[in-house]
Amino acid sequence: MDIWASGFFLDDCWIIACKILFFKNPSMQFAFKVTFVGVLLIAVLGDTFAQQSGALTSRSASARRSYQQATEAWGKKDFQNTVNFLQRALRADPRFLEAKLLLGEVYFSEEEFAKSIPHFLMAVQTDPLFFPQAQYFLARAYLRTGDYVNAKLHFEQLLQSRLVSARLLQSAQAGLVACIFAIHAQAHPVAFEPVNMGSAINTNLSEYSPALTVDEQTLIFTRKVPDVSPQGRGNRFQEDFFKSYFQQNAWEPNVPLGEPVNSWWNEGAQTITADGRQIIFASCNRPGGMGSCDLYSSSLSGMQWSQPENLGPVVNSSGWDSQPSLSSDGRTLFFTSNRAGGNGLMDIWFTTRPTVADAWTAPQNLGHTINTPYREMSPFIHADNHTLYFASDGHLGMGGLDLFVCRRDSANNWAVPVNLGYPLNTFADEFSLVVGAKGTQAFFASAREGGFGKNDLYMFALHEEVRPTTVTYLKGVVFDYETRNRIGARFHLINLKSGENIMESYSDTHTGEFLVALPTGMPLALNVEHAGYLFFSEHFSLEQSPEGAEPVLMNIALNPVKTGETVVMRNIFFDTGSHYLKPESVAELLRLFEFLSRNPKIRIEIGGHTDNVGTFEFNTTLSHNRARSVVNFLVDKGISANRLSYKGFADTKPIDTNNTEQGRANNRRTEFTLIP
């Protein structure tokens, strides 16, 4: 639908129009529109000449008869016959104003704006007073074809009219502002050089809706493929998922994602977790669905995807729910919906869950800062978890759906959206943008010339002003230290400044592989745990920079719970020369407390260690007191003192050299050892 066209309709006509809203390829393209039954001739002018043939401007009986047949066909949403009858009417009488206007409106509502222009233009030039509203539709058609100069001219002319409603004048004023914005944007283009992703990804079919893992090495996308289903639904095409891996600096030839995710039904508009082992997607008109399109989920274990499951009535509605985007921590899901209670025709909603193991809560509207009375669609939350990209035709843009970015502050408030600029945005509809975790590369689908098919996937360098915060990743395998068997372990990533658990994930139960997002610019504690094993502890503090931090590649060995095993707790902190625990230590201490609570028969010794700076006597006392501080914390939390002992070792048990700063830092540590 074209948003500006809603500005002047009578309320009843607007309600009728909304009721016949329908979608083209609903699970895929999500380009939708409203078909108005004689919008120009019926909704605006009523029955004046739509039903009273004597009032029509043509005296040709043949032309009037064809025109009447056209209005009947248009009432049935029969586009082709409507056009045929109107063309027949105009052959009989080329100056038949009503036929010209209706043909322009038919093309306009079908978003064939270039074809609508000559018909509206002829009507305006022939008799500008016959139907003054035609000036508005002419201006809108020019705007939607990128002819901003002519669009501006006709909006300005309409604004001088006293023959149209205040609502139409308000919409014309908005159109004029859009023209001024677009002309300025074209004069100040942003850097934009899209590169086709090549034959390994693109075909003579349509590819779109890209989704990337956090390491930007796995791509899952939607392709429109010939429908060979035995159900014989009559569709020429249906949608499936395909995947490709980035290896040796190139994308490998894509392959189908496979069953049971791919099916005879349409699957599209997917989002994936940071590690690519869960996919949430839209599918329409499936048996057992809640509405016209619902959200479904499937998980990967080893090499096998699970049977897709509907997210259920808490998330899905009786309306249209689609275009999901999952945050990198897996705890917030953004999506597009036309459900009741929204701000406009299409809104962005979100649902949350406390942990990835919990159920989703009731969705909430993202609010008036982002959602307008028109269309907000295709949300994409970047891996930094505070930069949101989306498409809108309600915010100031180039004419159709434009791409915008907005950022969330520490108080969880969204800033005013910013247009990504021309030529990334044009008079056409732009949507389905995703941005890699590094924040430098963006990916989108386009039907631009020079591609392999109708829609191809492209990538481009995102200009700096609209880039998100850089995110890197931690990648590796979890295994049993003794047997080398792979382990499906649980990961926690904690912001040491705030104590917030910013990520929870699991390694694959079959392969032990893990891939998690690592934010930059904050101190992070990593804990990895699995039943029957001692937990693993690590500390990260990655500098935030435009170039991004290097990824952390790490294989993690977990030691079975047995006497004599030792764990280095790398997130216990003290000031230099002090034995008082710093606040940043609490997260790690709580992890140790939980471990002891789950294993009530275990006894441990806390060991304090220093480097060789200072006297041995001072370091012995310091390490002893630091170990005692940890014990005191655990006792205060309720762990029996009989299960705890402590000892200070000073610098007698180094694990690294004391000749470098990094080595000395490694030697300054707190450990616990399982004792009889």
Side-chain angles (χ1 to χ4, degrees):
M1 174 194 162
D2 189 84
I3 64 160
W4 306 99
S6 67
F8 71 97
F9 292 125
L10 300 175
D11 290 343
D12 289 344
C13 296
W14 178 239
I15 292 171
I16 292 170
C18 289
K19 285 183 178 178
I20 55 174
L21 185 73
F22 71 97
F23 299 91
K24 287 182 176 179
N25 300 319
S27 68
M28 173 198 67
Q29 302 269 17
F30 305 100
F32 64 98
K33 58 181 180 276
V34 174
T35 301
F36 300 103
V37 183
V39 165
L40 295 178
L41 305 183
I42 299 174
V44 179
L45 298 182
D47 294 335
T48 304
F49 47 76
Q51 297 179 7
Q52 299 176 17
S53 59
L56 296 175
T57 57
S58 176
R59 296 184 178 182
S60 167
S62 174
R64 291 199 302 270
R65 183 168 55 253
S66 295
Y67 174 78
Q68 182 62 37
Q69 291 172 315
T71 60
E72 292 172 359
W74 193 223
K76 299 174 183 177
K77 295 183 286 189
D78 184 346
F79 169 76
Q80 193 55 58
N81 274 325
T82 302
V83 171
N84 291 340
F85 285 129
L86 289 173
Q87 289 176 339
R88 184 184 302 172
L90 289 169
R91 284 195 295 270
D93 184 353
R95 298 183 63 81
F96 190 175
L97 276 177
E98 291 87 348
K100 276 285 184 184
L101 286 167
L102 183 55
L103 186 54
E105 192 272 336
V106 169
Y107 283 131
F108 188 97
S109 67
E110 289 293 309
E111 298 184 0
E112 296 188 25
F113 302 109
K115 290 184 178 180
S116 73
I117 288 174
H119 303 290
F120 288 136
L121 184 60
M122 188 278 281
V124 169
Q125 291 175 339
T126 300
D127 187 353
L129 300 181
F130 176 78
F131 184 57
Q133 292 89 343
Q135 184 98 254
Y136 171 82
F137 283 89
L138 177 60
R140 281 295 304 155
Y142 276 127
L143 180 61
R144 290 307 310 273
T145 54
D147 188 343
Y148 299 113
V149 173
N150 272 317
K152 180 173 178 289
L153 172 66
H154 287 283
F155 278 131
E156 289 172 336
Q157 290 178 356
L158 182 63
L159 288 169
Q160 303 302 314
S161 173
R162 297 183 179 180
L163 301 176
V164 296
S165 70
R167 293 182 67 186
L168 183 58
L169 290 175
Q170 184 179 8
S171 290
Q173 182 63 48
L176 177 61
V177 172
C179 290
I180 295 171
F181 171 85
I183 292 170
H184 180 270
Q186 286 184 325
H188 301 84
V190 300
F192 178 61
E193 297 181 5
V195 177
N196 192 292
M197 294 187 70
S199 59
I201 304 297
N202 295 312
T203 66
N204 62 335
L205 301 171
S206 282
E207 288 81 25
Y208 40 87
S209 296
L212 287 165
T213 51
V214 71
D215 61 357
E216 302 183 34
Q217 293 180 10
T218 301
L219 171 71
I220 296 178
F221 60 93
T222 304
R223 175 176 291 148
K224 196 174 184 182
V225 298
D227 184 2
V228 294
S229 65
Q231 289 93 334
R233 296 197 309 274
N235 296 335
R236 185 178 176 184
F237 291 94
Q238 63 109 358
E239 296 155 306
D240 279 339
F241 297 123
F242 291 77
K243 63 181 178 181
S244 176
Y245 300 105
F246 193 74
Q247 300 289 338
Q248 298 181 343
N249 210 34
W251 289 102
E252 293 183 338
N254 67 89
V255 295
L257 193 63
E259 297 179 349
V261 179
N262 285 345
S263 71
W264 298 121
W265 303 97
N266 280 328
E267 298 87 25
Q270 74 288 352
T271 183
I272 58 177
T273 50
D275 59 9
R277 293 195 299 111
Q278 183 186 15
I279 183 170
I280 299 176
F281 62 93
S283 188
C284 300
N285 302 314
R286 281 198 178 204
M290 309 292 161
S292 59
C293 291
D294 282 2
L295 299 178
Y296 292 78
S297 175
S298 176
S299 297
L300 180 67
S301 180
M303 300 297 292
Q304 182 61 45
W305 288 96
S306 65
Q307 190 68 34
E309 295 183 2
N310 191 297
L311 292 193
V314 172
V315 175
N316 289 312
S317 70
S318 59
W320 185 83
D321 303 299
S322 186
Q323 301 175 336
S325 180
L326 186 65
S327 61
S328 59
D329 63 6
R331 295 186 296 180
T332 304
L333 179 67
F334 298 84
F335 62 97
T336 307
S337 180
N338 67 349
R339 66 183 58 204
N343 295 328
L345 297 176
M346 282 285 168
D347 278 7
I348 297 174
W349 295 71
F350 71 98
T351 175
T352 61
R353 54 185 177 183
T355 73
V356 294
D358 293 316
W360 293 108
T361 57
Q364 302 175 58
N365 192 283
L366 205 52
H368 293 280
T369 301
I370 291 175
N371 291 319
T372 71
Y374 306 109
R375 294 186 296 173
E376 278 66 48
M377 308 177 72
S378 295
F380 171 74
I381 185 69
H382 184 258
D384 68 6
N385 210 21
H386 64 254
T387 306
L388 180 73
Y389 299 87
F390 65 97
S392 171
D393 58 8
H395 295 282
L396 186 59
M398 303 289 292
L401 284 167
D402 275 15
L403 293 166
F404 292 81
V405 61
C406 61
R407 294 176 172 86
R408 178 168 50 188
D409 62 22
S410 58
N412 216 30
N413 297 315
W414 292 100
V416 175
V418 175
N419 191 293
L420 294 191
Y422 173 86
L424 202 165
N425 287 320
T426 68
F427 60 85
D429 287 339
E430 282 80 32
F431 52 96
S432 295
L433 178 81
V434 301
V435 180
K438 291 181 181 178
T440 57
Q441 294 287 336
F443 303 79
F444 75 116
S446 175
R448 63 186 57 240
E449 293 183 2
F452 291 84
K454 182 177 180 181
N455 283 289
D456 281 3
L457 291 179
Y458 289 80
M459 60 186 297
F460 65 95
L462 193 64
H463 58 284
E464 291 188 11
E465 293 81 2
V466 295
R467 287 181 180 178
T469 304
T470 297
V471 172
T472 187
Y473 59 89
L474 171 68
K475 185 177 185 178
V477 172
V478 183
F479 60 94
D480 184 304
Y481 178 77
E482 295 181 351
T483 67
R484 293 307 198 244
N485 291 335
R486 304 298 177 90
I487 299 174
R490 185 182 185 184
F491 284 71
H492 294 276
L493 198 63
I494 301 159
N495 182 338
L496 290 173
K497 283 187 177 179
S498 65
E500 178 188 5
N501 188 357
I502 62 174
M503 186 278 298
E504 181 180 335
S505 184
Y506 294 83
S507 59
D508 190 282
T509 55
H510 290 84
T511 67
E513 295 175 344
F514 64 88
L515 174 61
V516 297
L518 277 183
T520 57
M522 66 181 73
L524 299 170
L526 173 71
N527 292 125
V528 183
E529 60 187 11
H530 185 67
Y533 291 85
L534 299 174
F535 67 82
F536 172 86
S537 169
E538 189 53 87
H539 173 77
F540 302 100
S541 187
L542 306 174
E543 294 296 327
Q544 184 174 314
S545 69
E547 294 77 24
E550 289 296 316
V552 179
L553 306 180
M554 176 187 296
N555 292 332
I556 297 173
L558 294 185
N559 290 304
V561 174
K562 66 179 184 179
T563 301
E565 294 293 343
T566 297
V567 172
V568 178
M569 295 186 291
R570 302 189 184 278
N571 296 293
I572 304 296
F573 304 101
F574 304 91
D575 284 325
T576 301
S578 171
H579 66 273
Y580 293 104
L581 289 162
K582 298 183 71 172
E584 293 91 332
S585 306
V586 171
E588 188 99 321
L589 291 168
L590 289 175
R591 194 68 58 202
L592 177 57
F593 166 73
E594 292 168 0
F595 172 78
L596 292 171
S597 299
R598 289 195 303 268
N599 298 275
K601 295 182 179 180
I602 284 178
R603 297 182 68 246
I604 63 171
E605 177 186 82
I606 304 297
H609 301 265
T610 68
D611 56 27
N612 66 350
V613 177
T615 67
F616 179 76
E617 292 76 12
F618 177 84
N619 285 337
T620 299
T621 301
L622 179 64
S623 59
H624 175 87
N625 289 336
R626 285 179 171 178
R628 184 174 60 184
S629 294
V630 173
V631 168
N632 289 341
F633 178 93
L634 295 171
V635 171
D636 289 343
K637 295 295 291 184
I639 301 299
S640 172
N642 294 330
R643 300 175 59 194
L644 307 170
S645 65
Y646 59 93
K647 185 175 181 179
F649 294 93
D651 62 346
T652 61
K653 292 187 175 183
I655 58 174
D656 204 340
T657 179
N658 275 310
N659 295 326
T660 66
E661 178 54 41
Q662 184 60 53
R664 290 190 292 272
N666 290 336
N667 288 330
R668 297 189 298 268
R669 67 195 188 279
T670 304
E671 301 174 338
F672 73 87
T673 302
L674 273 60
I675 58 177

